[in-house]
Amino acid sequence: LEGLLLNGDTVNAHEELGDTTWYIPPICKALGITIDEVEDAIGAPDHATLLTTMPTLIDVAMRLCIEAGHVQDAIKRAVYYGSPLNSAGVVSHLGRIIHLIQHACYLLDTTHEKVKATNIGKLKARFPQRFTEAEAIQRDVSNERLVLEGGVA
């Protein structure tokens, strides 16, 4: 969301929300669940209520950092301290992160589904066949931006 907050770049904000979404499935996989199961468990966000506590994108961005920190702390405790992983707590925080992403989309007058689809389009433009390290490093950011803006790659 930095691009939007610093210079009004909503295209970059959509991209970052899409990128953030893709960090959730690997954590879900490690917990033996799917992102769909998390989304089903949390239901749809109540934007009217969220607007009372997080009316702006800066509020959402700050809360995203807090929730991500809780997930990171739980994983750190399990990996480095040998504590049992609080899976239910991690799932709860992932659910909040998903709600926050959905609320940011709402504030940007878009949907999470559209953001995810656009992000997939960007990744297909970047990796036409499959992921390669070379294409990850030598990105055609102009082409990616065209996709993000709704153009054709």
Side-chain angles (χ1 to χ4, degrees), residues 100-118:
L100 290 164
I101 292 169
Q102 292 169 339
H103 188 56
C105 291
Y106 175 83
L107 292 173
L108 290 166
D109 196 29
T110 191
T111 66
H112 194 203
E113 291 71 27
K114 183 176 178 183
V115 164
K116 289 188 289 188
T118 302

Side-chain angles (χ1 to χ4, degrees), residues 11-23:
V11 172
N12 180 256
H14 290 173
E15 177 184 16
E16 293 303 324
L17 289 168
D19 288 346
T20 301
T21 298
W22 300 119
Y23 288 105

Side-chain angles (χ1 to χ4, degrees), residues 13 23 32 37 45-46 63 70 74 80 83 85 92 112 116 118 131 134 138 144-145 149:
Y23 288 105
E37 290 172 305
D46 177 2
R63 190 68 209 179
H70 288 305
Y80 295 108
S83 301
L85 181 64
S92 177
H112 194 203
K116 289 188 289 188
T118 302
F131 173 84
Q138 298 296 323
E144 289 179 22
R145 180 74 184 205
E149 290 174 345

